Amino acid sequence: MGALTIRLPESLHDHVRKLANQEGLSMNQFVMLAVAEKVTRLDEGASWTYVEALQAVGQATADERGETLEEAARSILDQAPDSEPPPEDRRVDSPGVDTEETPTPPPS
């Protein structure tokens, strides 16, 4: 993995730190994902970049926790509530979702 040193205005640095904390990520993980998202938006052929960044963030999280990637993933997933998602967060083809209530997009 390559390394990059960047200089940020203090206000942006503070904002990135707050957002990373809210997401449960290190600043490095947050910035890596942000860069991958931007590259993916600018270069349609670079969708693999975001997936690779997600994999790298997962591995970095595991390393920071002193866990294997599987252990880190399990401990993160274990934090999810043990309840069904609200209807608006479900896919239309999910069991239990009333398709009549799901708005149909207008024809193009």
Side-chain angles (χ1 to χ4, degrees), residues 47-95:
S47 60
W48 55 267
T49 304
Y50 188 67
V51 172
E52 284 188 350
L54 286 173
Q55 290 171 335
V57 166
Q59 188 60 59
T61 301
D63 293 345
E64 287 176 4
R65 294 170 175 233
E67 299 173 328
T68 66
L69 185 55
E70 185 176 296
E71 291 168 336
R74 176 55 48 205
S75 64
I76 290 168
L77 290 172
D78 286 344
Q79 295 175 37
D82 189 20
S83 61
E84 290 293 319
E88 65 271 13
D89 286 346
R90 295 183 191 173
R91 289 178 27 177
V92 173
D93 59 352
S94 294

Side-chain angles (χ1 to χ4, degrees), residues 6-75:
I6 60 172
R7 297 187 194 293
L8 299 173
E10 197 64 39
S11 60
L12 180 57
H13 187 270
D14 290 342
H15 198 75
V16 168
R17 179 183 299 118
K18 288 175 189 172
L19 290 172
N21 285 336
Q22 288 173 4
E23 293 296 314
L25 300 171
S26 68
M27 287 183 66
N28 186 65
Q29 293 166 329
F30 185 88
V31 170
M32 184 173 20
L33 284 173
V35 170
E37 284 182 26
K38 184 65 173 183
V39 168
T40 301
R41 284 189 192 130
L42 294 176
D43 183 358
E44 291 179 18
S47 60
W48 55 267
T49 304
Y50 188 67
V51 172
E52 284 188 350
L54 286 173
Q55 290 171 335
V57 166
Q59 188 60 59
T61 301
D63 293 345
E64 287 176 4
R65 294 170 175 233
E67 299 173 328
T68 66
L69 185 55
E70 185 176 296
E71 291 168 336
R74 176 55 48 205
S75 64

Side-chain angles (χ1 to χ4, degrees), residues 87-88 90 92 97-106:
E88 65 271 13
R90 295 183 191 173
V92 173
V97 175
D98 185 356
T99 55
E100 291 181 21
E101 291 183 20
T102 305
T104 305

